[in-house]
Amino acid sequence: MPDPHGVWTKMGDYLRALPLTLPETPKAILVISGHWEERAFSFTGSDAHPGLIFDYYGFPPETYRLVWTALGAPWLAERGAELLRDAGLQVAIVQERGFDHGVFIPLKVAFPDADVPVVQMSLHASLDPSLHLAAGRALAPLREEGVLVLGSGMSFHNLRAMGDPRVAEPSAEFDRWLAAAAESSSEERAERLARWDTAPWARLCHPREEHLIPLMVAAGASGEVGIQDYREFVLGGAVSAFRFA
């Protein structure tokens, strides 16, 4: 949609450049979105075009007519469920669910041709960070199988505070803490992220943590240190993205 003030310009540039930073085109993408919660880790499982869920309100009419036609990947849903089940985690495969905007908005920018199959995985409704780190560890073999594991959320997500200049420094302090945690060894990273809510200004930045928890899955899926490869202030809050090699 129109962005006359350039609020999303840098984020758009980052997403468009994302495929070029990968060692090869993914065989498929597994997206963990902050917009889907279930009592068991759940996967979209349709082999047809899953369709789009316009789960946002108050935006221009054209944003409800967007099209993005990526295929599902039933084999990936089955494989992800198998890995989590083998780790002792409860899983489900949901046959009739489209992609929510935590999936199709960033991927429509990053992969506009929709030529890579996609499966969405839900958060666990507990929002337990340790549980999601464990889920990431269980899903780690997917990386060697050509799957991009992508956490879609936001490192600052307080809708009531967005646009308030008073949140700039507190959110920057939390962001520095988050970057230090992400850039730690995998063991230390897991310990820090498991207690994220003790970080400076944690609950100001995340009154409810559903937009932060996808990071835990992506971080858990890698044994390497993370890299903060995007950072800017968006609507007053410090926003970052992290890559785990």
Side-chain angles (χ1 to χ4, degrees), residues 3-127:
D3 185 21
H5 301 293
V7 174
W8 307 107
T9 299
K10 290 182 181 179
M11 187 177 292
D13 291 344
Y14 168 78
L15 289 169
R16 275 185 285 273
L18 180 62
L20 301 177
T21 68
L22 301 175
E24 59 186 14
T25 301
K27 183 178 179 181
I29 304 173
L30 177 65
V31 185
I32 301 90
S33 166
H35 294 272
W36 185 21
E37 300 172 28
E38 296 287 353
R39 298 183 67 173
F41 287 109
S42 300
F43 297 84
T44 56
S46 174
D47 61 352
H49 294 290
L52 307 182
I53 302 172
F54 298 104
D55 54 337
Y56 41 78
Y57 306 94
F59 287 86
E62 64 269 21
T63 65
Y64 300 91
R65 297 191 293 267
L66 296 174
V67 175
W68 191 69
T69 57
L71 292 172
W75 64 267
L76 177 54
E78 294 287 350
R79 177 68 171 137
E82 174 189 33
L83 290 169
L84 293 189
R85 196 178 295 116
D86 288 348
L89 302 175
Q90 290 188 320
V91 298
I93 295 178
V94 178
Q95 295 299 333
E96 296 182 4
R97 189 185 194 278
F99 298 137
D100 63 47
H101 80 273
V103 177
F104 73 81
I105 293 296
L107 291 188
K108 184 174 173 64
V109 178
F111 295 89
D113 294 332
D115 52 358
V116 179
V118 175
V119 166
Q120 180 175 355
M121 187 181 98
S122 76
L123 300 177
H124 190 278
S126 67
L127 301 182

Side-chain angles (χ1 to χ4, degrees), residues 200-224:
W201 304 104
R203 283 298 178 186
L204 173 67
C205 295
H206 293 279
R208 190 174 187 273
E209 59 266 40
E210 79 286 347
H211 273 69
L212 182 66
I213 295 298
L215 174 66
M216 313 303 178
V217 182
S222 173
E224 305 297 324

Side-chain angles (χ1 to χ4, degrees), residues 177-202:
W177 179 94
L178 191 62
E183 294 170 355
S184 301
S185 67
S186 60
E187 295 81 6
E188 183 179 354
R189 178 171 71 231
E191 291 177 5
R192 289 177 140 190
L193 292 178
R195 50 182 176 82
W196 73 271
D197 57 350
T198 66
W201 304 104

